[in-house]
Amino acid sequence: MHSIPRSDNRRPLGLMVKSRVQSRVVFVDLIDLSEGGCKIKARPGFATVGDRVVMKVGGINAPLGIIAWVNGEFAGVAFEGEMHPAVIDHLCEQNGSKLTAARRRAYEARRTV
């Protein structure tokens, strides 16, 4: 897997999201979110690189996305547009509290490696 430089900071989020991957309904865990993309988790094989993704996050339509990478049950989504920072702030305030302190520390530790 190649390293993809990111211009936006990813923010941890613990949220189940109904999405469509290539027209199939797929429920995914939204692991983190930024203006330009997100990391999701579902059953292995739920998507392949290049698949189109449509998600509704906390009642808000996310920009159309493309699967940028897949590693087992995790995948990275690159949005074709950008999600407004205020929308991300709102989603994190509403749903970020669902993350346990231990899970948040583990997430931050993985980001610094």
Side-chain angles (χ1 to χ4, degrees), residues 10-44:
R10 299 262 172 135
R11 296 186 48 194
L13 195 64
L15 187 62
M16 177 67 73
V17 176
K18 182 178 180 181
S19 63
R20 290 192 171 274
V21 177
Q22 295 298 99
S23 300
R24 295 181 327 272
V25 173
V26 178
F27 288 91
V28 301
D29 288 317
L30 184 59
I31 304 298
D32 64 29
L33 180 65
S34 73
E35 293 173 35
C38 62
K39 181 177 182 180
I40 56 178
K41 178 182 175 186
R43 287 187 162 162

Side-chain angles (χ1 to χ4, degrees), residues 90-101:
H90 171 74
L91 291 170
C92 289
E93 287 171 13
Q94 295 296 312
N95 301 290
S97 63
K98 294 177 183 175
L99 291 174
T100 65

Side-chain angles (χ1 to χ4, degrees), residues 28-90:
V28 301
D29 288 317
L30 184 59
I31 304 298
D32 64 29
L33 180 65
S34 73
E35 293 173 35
C38 62
K39 181 177 182 180
I40 56 178
K41 178 182 175 186
R43 287 187 162 162
F46 76 97
T48 58
V49 172
D51 285 351
R52 291 197 172 283
V53 181
V54 177
M55 293 185 286
K56 194 167 206 169
V57 182
I60 299 169
N61 288 325
L64 179 65
I66 303 291
I67 300 291
W69 58 266
V70 177
N71 186 1
E73 58 191 8
F74 293 97
V77 177
F79 296 145
E80 289 187 350
E82 285 195 350
M83 189 168 261
H84 195 280
V87 173
I88 295 171
D89 289 343
H90 171 74

